[in-house]
Every structure is written in structure tokens, then in C-alpha cells.
Amino acid sequence: DIYKLGNLSERSGVDFENQSNGYKYLGFQREDPISDLRGGGILSLENIHFIMSAQNELAIAMIQKRKNRDLGANFPWAAAGVNVTRMLATIFEVVQASGAGTVSYTKKTYWHMLQDENGFNRLYVCAFKLLDTIYDEEDADYMMFPNVVNKTKERLEEILKRMNSVEEVEAALLGM
């Protein structure tokens, strides 16, 4: 679970807690991580769990990097992850930017990537890494976060249009 993958049990000396200050270390904004999920729902929790289990070193490095930056250039990692889930859901037209469901029948050239096992989760990892990279490229601060999300969305959509598989996206963005 996220509690163990984030090494929170080592920090607190407790195997698991539903509510803990440790969740704030991961970038949740409250002691109860469920309260941060309203923008991405349970899918965002699944995505955060996936990156922490499949790419734990990457996730921990991103968390620590954001913790070590000057306060103004920091962002709450887990809350940003919820935004990444939402961004991907809008790219694949699962929801509209407003949050409403979509009835769009647009044929995206990259829809087939979701047929791969864990395709959405794997693209989530790529998108989150891209967001982190763009945040650094822009020398962004917390107030610039919405612009970084927009640039990430634009760049990711361009990459998805050029690639044929999740593996190609991973190679381009994660160096895998």
C-alpha cells in the first residue's frame, strides 16, 4: 500500500494508519489522503499506488526533490498526481475539463494504448515524469502549476500522436 511504499511506517513506527501526518510528506494536503481525491477520484489513488509500486525509486526521488526545493518552487507531489490523473482523463476524453462526463466520439489515434495491460497507469507514470521535468524547465513555482499542467498536456498529446505503443512513450519519457 501507499503507506508502506512511501516508507511512512518507518517514519511513524506504525505499520499502517488511515490518517497520518506522514501522508503530508507524500504531498497529500491533509492527514486523510482520501480528502485529496475529489479531482481524480479513486483512479488517482490507483495511479499513485501504481507509480509507487512499479517505479518506487522514481516516485521517492520526485517526492524528495520537491521536499528539498525552496518553498516557493515546491508542489505537493500526491496532489499533483491527482492532477495528472485528471489531465490524462481529459486527454482520453473520459471526462471534460469541467469534470462532467463526456459523450464525445472522437477517434484519437492513440486510444489503442489503453488496451495494453496497465496502459493508463503506465502512461500516468510517463505523464507525471513529464510534468516534473517541465516544472524544472520552466523554473516554476506553485503559482505557475496550472500553466505547467497545460504545457504537460500539450506536450504529452503531441508525443502520443507520434508514438505507436506505451513502450515507445516510456522509452521517450522515462528512458526505458
Side-chain angles (χ1 to χ4, degrees), residues 57-149:
E57 287 183 24
L58 172 65
I60 296 298
M62 289 170 64
I63 291 165
Q64 290 174 342
K65 178 170 60 169
R66 294 303 159 208
K67 288 291 183 198
N68 292 332
R69 294 186 62 165
D70 295 333
L71 191 58
N74 193 4
F75 63 76
W77 184 83
V82 172
N83 280 277
V84 172
T85 297
R86 178 118 185 140
M87 177 190 66
L88 269 179
T90 60
I91 287 173
F92 282 98
E93 297 180 345
V94 176
V95 296
Q96 298 173 26
S98 66
T102 182
V103 291
S104 174
Y105 297 103
T106 305
K107 178 70 175 155
K108 300 285 186 179
T109 58
Y110 42 82
W111 259 98
H112 68 281
M113 291 187 200
L114 296 182
Q115 294 175 349
D116 288 10
E117 185 175 349
N118 285 315
F120 192 88
N121 285 326
R122 291 167 61 198
L123 290 173
Y124 170 85
V125 173
C126 294
F128 208 162
K129 175 65 174 138
L130 181 60
L131 178 130
D132 191 64
T133 299
I134 292 172
Y135 196 86
D136 287 340
E137 287 173 0
E138 297 290 318
D139 195 27
D141 60 28
Y142 189 73
M143 296 304 292
M144 296 169 64
F145 190 80
N147 294 335
V148 171
V149 171

Side-chain angles (χ1 to χ4, degrees), residues 1-2 5 42-59 77 85 88 116-126 128 166 170 174 176:
D1 72 339
I2 292 172
L5 292 168
I42 199 74
L43 180 58
S44 59
L45 188 59
E46 180 183 317
N47 291 152
I48 291 169
H49 181 267
F50 184 84
I51 192 173
M52 292 189 78
S53 59
Q55 295 284 333
N56 189 264
E57 287 183 24
L58 172 65
W77 184 83
T85 297
L88 269 179
D116 288 10
E117 185 175 349
N118 285 315
F120 192 88
N121 285 326
R122 291 167 61 198
L123 290 173
Y124 170 85
V125 173
C126 294
F128 208 162
V166 175
E170 288 173 328
L174 301 177
M176 297 176 81

